[in-house]
Amino acid sequence: MHAELIDGKAIAATIRGEIARDVAALTARGVIPGLTVVLVGDDPASATYVGAKEKASVEAGMKGGTIRLPASTSQQELLTLVERLNADPAVHGILVQMPLPKHIDPDTVIRHIRPDKDVDGFHPENVGKLLIGHTDGFVSCTPAGVIELLVRSGVDTRGAEAVIIGRSNIVGKPMAALLVQGRAGGDATVTVCHSRTKDLAAHTRRADILIAAIGRAEMITGDMIKPGAVVIDVGMNSVPDATKAKGSRLCGDVHFASAVEVASKITPVPGGVGPMTIAMLLRNTVRAAERTLG
């Protein structure tokens, strides 16, 4: 068996085309969706990711702006900025890029973003709506992107055994909530594994759908995967590689070379989940703008 690749880049491009049409329709009605990203400090990975978000929003016809602040910015200064963006009617979506400098509490910042502008889906109000099955909140972008990958790749999740490796608030927990709910991409039987799980392989080997989001390079090997399973690799890790010009390469949490020989479908890294995260961010921002028109 050699797995079919789930091309997240191509699927994301299709979704971004749909978003561009929605943006054009909103613009014709006098509303241009506006996304403001706040970057504190000079973390290279964050800067690259923020640049990709800004580029994607502009390409979709949105107002895409990035506010860059020094790492020395105080928590109160950041909260003051967030409050200003909350009050700006031209800003429909606010995203404060994580991680923040150690002297700033991320939970406090997230709680200060208005829930109706929290296009990252991290505010407790939006998380609560997701857990109880309400659809008028914003869903965290990476889990939402995984659901789109599954649905658009023809994966039937109904009654499937889904195993998630990782219990973070950003991916693992909202991913479980989406998969267990009775809507498209849901109705699965869900197991969440983590660092304290005993005999991890016993769980992964019974998964029809395996989602790896543990943050450990190539931890999941082919012998841990059920033959014919669908494998979604959320991980993004940099590992040493002397054959590369930069001396390193990107890889996921799944050992791709062995997994591709066992799975039926699999996402590559890069080019799998990553592009979907940005696409879902744009979609959330468009939804936020649509609400201003009632």
Side-chain angles (χ1 to χ4, degrees), residues 22-44:
D22 291 341
V23 170
L26 281 169
T27 300
R29 298 176 66 185
V31 176
I32 303 176
L35 171 66
T36 296
V37 179
V38 180
L39 176 63
V40 184
D42 53 4
D43 177 73

Side-chain angles (χ1 to χ4, degrees), residues 38-43 46 69-71 73-75 78-79 82 95-110 113:
V38 180
L39 176 63
V40 184
D42 53 4
D43 177 73
S46 293
L69 301 174
T73 300
S74 70
Q75 177 167 298
L78 179 56
L79 295 179
V82 168
L95 186 152
V96 178
Q97 183 64 38
M98 303 294 168
L100 290 167
K102 293 182 179 179
H103 64 278
I104 299 177
D105 177 43
D107 288 338
T108 299
V109 175
I110 290 168
I113 299 173

Side-chain angles (χ1 to χ4, degrees), residues 8 13 26 39 73 123 127 168 227 230 248 292:
L26 281 169
L39 176 63
T73 300
H123 191 282
V127 174
S168 71
V230 175
S248 64
T292 64

Side-chain angles (χ1 to χ4, degrees), residues 9 16 35 37 47-66 68 278 281-282:
K9 189 174 181 180
R16 284 166 61 175
L35 171 66
V37 179
T48 299
Y49 195 40
V50 164
K53 292 174 181 176
E54 183 174 17
K55 181 174 181 290
S57 63
V58 171
E59 288 176 348
M62 301 164 59
K63 291 180 180 177
T66 301
R68 292 174 169 81
I278 294 177
L281 175 67
L282 300 184

Side-chain angles (χ1 to χ4, degrees), residues 25-262:
L26 281 169
T27 300
R29 298 176 66 185
V31 176
I32 303 176
L35 171 66
T36 296
V37 179
V38 180
L39 176 63
V40 184
D42 53 4
D43 177 73
S46 293
T48 299
Y49 195 40
V50 164
K53 292 174 181 176
E54 183 174 17
K55 181 174 181 290
S57 63
V58 171
E59 288 176 348
M62 301 164 59
K63 291 180 180 177
T66 301
I67 298 175
R68 292 174 169 81
L69 301 174
S72 59
T73 300
S74 70
Q75 177 167 298
Q76 186 54 54
E77 288 172 327
L78 179 56
L79 295 179
T80 299
L81 171 61
V82 168
E83 293 296 348
R84 178 167 64 82
L85 296 174
N86 280 339
D88 187 343
V91 176
H92 302 101
I94 302 169
L95 186 152
V96 178
Q97 183 64 38
M98 303 294 168
L100 290 167
K102 293 182 179 179
H103 64 278
I104 299 177
D105 177 43
D107 288 338
T108 299
V109 175
I110 290 168
R111 286 173 179 270
H112 271 72
I113 299 173
R114 268 176 40 182
D116 61 330
K117 294 191 177 189
D118 167 43
V119 289
D120 238 354
F122 293 161
H123 191 282
E125 182 174 315
N126 285 320
V127 174
K129 286 182 175 181
L130 169 62
L131 289 177
I132 61 177
H134 289 190
T135 58
D136 61 332
F138 293 118
V139 176
S140 182
C141 299
T142 297
V146 170
I147 292 294
E148 285 288 339
L149 284 178
L150 293 172
V151 170
R152 294 184 185 234
S153 298
V155 177
D156 188 0
T157 59
R158 294 171 299 176
E161 288 277 351
V163 174
I164 303 166
I165 310 170
R167 56 180 172 182
S168 71
N169 291 331
I170 296 173
V171 180
K173 292 176 183 177
M175 190 77 256
L178 286 170
L179 282 168
V180 81
Q181 290 176 13
R183 50 183 171 180
D187 274 333
T189 300
V190 182
T191 300
V192 179
C193 299
H194 46 79
S195 60
R196 302 292 184 186
T197 298
K198 296 179 180 179
D199 196 359
L200 177 63
H203 293 281
T204 61
R205 289 192 189 110
R206 61 180 174 77
D208 301 310
I209 300 169
L210 180 61
I211 300 172
I214 197 68
R216 291 181 59 184
E218 300 180 330
M219 176 183 176
I220 306 303
T221 53
D223 62 340
M224 299 172 67
I225 298 170
K226 176 182 178 180
V230 175
V231 178
I232 306 293
D233 192 349
V234 181
M236 181 69 76
N237 311 284
S238 179
V239 296
D241 189 337
T243 67
K244 304 296 183 182
K246 294 181 179 180
S248 64
R249 63 180 172 86
L250 292 176
C251 69
D253 294 348
V254 176
H255 185 267
F256 185 84
S258 60
V260 75
E261 300 297 334
V262 182

